[in-house]
């Protein structure tokens, strides 16, 4: 069971140009001004265990979720320990902009085995172009200091990089920068969420990025240098026959149980608009959420993909990246798979 919690809603100490979340929040009729209360925490945790899942991954995101402070998370974990009477497996993860991590945070995150996602777009010049503080200063140095703390406490972390038209041509440079710094777990997210000119990633630029970064990654994998790129590993897993839960691969959406600071629930992090609200956790339970989210789950239509030879590893992509039910990166992926598929198959042979 996956639960994605936004304890401070859209509050953030950065002002990134391409932030899709603040654009969504700006369209809401009722803004969320307060942080999550412990009444809401109690309802989330109690009702999660009443749903009787096999496991729970409590993920935290924002805005910037560290703004709420360590005490919130300590009390959250106290509630989890209170209600986990059957001792099911519990996992914690947090996605942060990486500017607020101190040694105190390091001790806490290590103690409770948090998986940490750090937003980092590349080297100093690339990262600071969009990811600035409120006073328009770059955030790169703060992020690197936070990563050093994570390394010091041996905390598992991955890097999440947003790809825009600005950095799409620098795939190899970004990859080599991460490799040099031993950032070995990477995720790359194409930006289509901003309405600002020339930020959204064009299909052609995305193809160039994928090709360039694949070339560098492929050589390293052949030479037994382990660099994990989530997108490429999902491709390998799908080709092998593993069930990949990411909606861009398995042909259907899942309910992410996104819970806002005031308890409002949404099916997906990309769909936290007013018309996607499926209730409030203070008033409904997870059985209601599953029922109320069924319409969202049934919206995905992959019929246009039936004749595509790459349907198995695409399935019309994530519906956030579709216009009139057409995956905007359809031709991008076809070109990329035409270029790379034999090499992926070669890697599978090497692994077997």
């Amino acid at each position: 069971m996956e639960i994605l919690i936004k304890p401070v809603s859209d509050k953030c100490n950065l002002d990134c140009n391409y932030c899709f979340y603040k654009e969504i929040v700006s369209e809401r009729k009722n803004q969320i001004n307060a942080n999550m209360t412990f009444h809401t925490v109690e309802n989330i945790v109690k009702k999660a265990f009443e749903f009787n899942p096999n496991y729970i991954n409590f993920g935290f995101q924002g805005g910037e979720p560290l703004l709420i402070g360590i005490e919130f998370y300590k009390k959250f974990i106290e509630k989890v320990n209170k209600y986990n009477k059957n001792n099911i497996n519990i996992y914690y993860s947090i996605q942060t902009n990486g500017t607020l991590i101190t040694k105190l945070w390091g001790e806490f995150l290590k103690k409770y085995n948090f998986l940490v996602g750090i937003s980092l777009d590349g080297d100093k010049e690339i990262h600071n172009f969009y990811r600035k503080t409120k006073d328009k200063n770059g955030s790169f140095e703060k992020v690197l200091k936070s990563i050093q703390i994570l390394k010091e406490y041996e905390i598992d972390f991955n890097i999440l990089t947003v790809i825009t038209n600005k950095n799409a041509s620098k795939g190899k440079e970004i990859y080599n920068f991460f490799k040099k710094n031993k950032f070995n777990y990477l995720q790359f997210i194409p930006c289509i969420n901003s309405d600002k000119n020339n930020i959204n990633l064009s299909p052609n630029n995305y193809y160039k990025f994928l090709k360039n970064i694949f070339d560098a990654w492929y050589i390293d994998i052949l030479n037994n240098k382990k660099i994990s790129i989530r997108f490429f590993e999902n491709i390998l897993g799908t080709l092998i026959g593993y069930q990949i839960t990411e909606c861009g691969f398995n042909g259907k959406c899942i309910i992410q149980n996104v819970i806002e600071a005031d308890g409002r629930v949404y099916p997906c992090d990309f769909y936290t608009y007013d018309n996607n609200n499926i209730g409030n956790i203070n008033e409904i339970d997870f059985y209601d959420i599953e029922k109320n989210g069924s319409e969202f789950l049934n919206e995905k239509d992959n019929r246009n993909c039936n004749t595509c030879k790459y349907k198995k590893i695409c399935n019309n992509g994530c519906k956030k990246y579709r216009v009139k039910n057409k995956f905007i990166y359809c031709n991008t992926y076809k070109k990329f798979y035409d270029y790379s598929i034999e090499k992926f198959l070669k890697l599978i042979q090497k692994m077997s």
Side-chain angles (χ1 to χ4, degrees):
M1 182 182 188
E2 305 288 333
I3 303 176
L4 182 58
I5 299 166
K6 295 178 177 286
V8 298
S9 187
D10 66 316
K11 295 184 184 71
C12 190
N13 59 321
L14 296 188
D15 188 23
C16 304
N17 299 57
Y18 53 52
C19 180
F20 79 94
Y21 186 40
K22 68 182 179 183
E23 292 187 11
I24 291 178
V25 169
S26 69
E27 297 181 16
R28 290 178 180 165
K29 292 181 180 179
N30 298 313
Q31 300 297 313
I32 301 173
N33 298 314
N35 293 340
M36 183 171 284
T37 66
F38 290 111
H39 171 72
T40 299
V41 168
E42 181 102 19
N43 280 324
I44 292 172
V45 176
K46 180 175 181 290
K47 293 176 180 181
F49 285 105
E50 289 174 347
F51 192 65
N52 198 30
N54 295 321
Y55 75 94
I56 305 176
N57 178 33
F58 291 107
F60 300 91
Q61 195 168 298
E64 174 46 53
L66 296 191
L67 286 172
I68 202 167
I70 289 179
E71 290 305 313
F72 171 87
Y73 294 98
K74 288 181 178 178
K75 291 181 180 179
F76 189 100
I77 291 171
E78 286 178 6
K79 297 297 183 185
V80 171
N81 293 337
K82 173 184 175 182
Y83 287 106
N84 190 11
K85 297 176 182 178
N86 294 325
N87 294 316
I88 69 170
N89 289 331
I90 302 298
Y91 306 95
Y92 297 107
S93 59
I94 194 163
Q95 179 65 42
T96 172
N97 61 37
T99 62
L100 300 175
I101 296 174
T102 61
K103 290 193 174 184
L104 188 62
W105 273 110
E107 293 172 1
F108 171 81
L109 295 169
K110 180 62 178 179
K111 180 178 179 179
Y112 294 103
N113 199 29
F114 271 71
L115 172 64
V116 180
I118 295 283
S119 295
L120 181 64
D121 283 355
D123 62 23
K124 184 174 182 179
E125 179 183 1
I126 294 171
H127 177 88
N128 283 346
F129 190 83
Y130 287 129
R131 302 192 64 82
K132 300 180 187 297
T133 61
K134 300 288 187 180
D135 55 5
K136 304 305 177 184
N137 291 319
S139 60
F140 178 80
E141 298 295 344
K142 292 181 178 180
V143 175
L144 284 198
K145 287 180 181 178
S146 289
I147 291 175
Q148 290 306 312
I149 292 173
L150 296 179
K151 287 184 173 182
E152 178 183 343
Y153 285 90
E154 299 181 332
I155 296 166
D156 291 335
F157 69 94
N158 57 46
I159 301 294
L160 190 148
T161 300
V162 178
I163 305 304
T164 67
N165 288 321
K166 177 68 178 177
N167 62 359
S169 64
K170 300 180 182 294
K172 286 185 178 179
E173 292 93 327
I174 292 171
Y175 179 85
N176 287 332
F177 171 76
F178 290 156
K179 178 181 169 182
K180 177 182 177 182
N181 285 277
K182 298 182 180 180
F183 304 157
N184 294 330
Y185 296 90
L186 312 176
Q187 296 182 49
F188 298 102
I189 309 297
C191 178
I192 63 162
N193 305 301
S194 176
D195 59 3
K196 295 174 178 147
N197 292 334
N198 208 35
I199 295 180
N200 290 346
L201 182 61
S202 73
N204 189 51
N205 284 341
Y206 189 26
Y207 168 71
K208 292 177 181 178
F209 175 83
L210 287 175
K211 181 178 180 296
N212 288 338
I213 205 164
F214 173 80
D215 288 342
W217 174 82
Y218 180 70
I219 291 171
D220 279 340
I221 297 300
L222 284 180
N223 289 294
N224 297 313
K225 296 178 181 178
K226 176 64 174 175
I227 305 289
S228 170
I229 295 180
R230 183 172 177 178
F231 179 60
F232 296 160
E233 292 191 346
N234 281 344
I235 293 170
L236 284 171
T238 304
L239 291 171
I240 291 170
Y242 296 155
Q243 181 63 46
I244 305 299
T245 58
E246 193 168 324
C247 58
F249 282 85
N250 66 15
K252 61 181 180 180
C253 294
I254 61 172
I255 298 296
Q256 292 182 331
N257 298 306
V258 180
I259 304 180
E260 268 285 9
D262 65 351
R264 277 182 267 182
V265 183
Y266 300 88
C268 171
D269 191 35
F270 282 146
Y271 289 89
T272 55
Y273 298 93
D274 283 341
N275 64 326
N276 300 120
N277 176 233
I278 53 178
N280 191 301
I281 196 62
N282 294 307
E283 301 166 358
I284 64 174
D285 59 28
F286 284 96
Y287 292 100
D288 296 319
I289 293 170
E290 185 177 59
K291 179 181 177 181
N292 295 348
S294 61
E295 182 177 347
F296 177 83
L297 291 177
N298 293 332
E299 288 179 0
K300 186 149 186 172
D301 185 349
N302 305 321
R303 287 174 293 179
N304 292 338
C305 304
N306 287 339
T307 60
C308 178
K309 61 183 176 180
Y310 299 124
K311 182 182 184 228
K312 180 180 178 181
I313 49 177
C314 178
N315 277 299
N316 208 18
C318 170
K319 71 179 181 180
K320 177 64 176 178
Y321 294 80
R322 290 185 287 152
V323 176
K324 296 181 180 179
N325 200 41
K326 175 72 171 180
F327 184 41
I328 65 171
Y329 294 126
C330 179
N331 290 332
T332 300
Y333 277 24
K334 285 179 180 177
K335 285 176 63 178
F336 175 67
Y337 292 140
D338 283 342
Y339 174 78
S340 63
I341 196 70
E342 292 301 323
K343 293 179 179 179
F344 277 114
L345 295 174
K346 183 176 179 179
L347 289 179
I348 292 173
Q349 289 180 339
K350 177 179 171 64
M351 293 162 53
S352 61

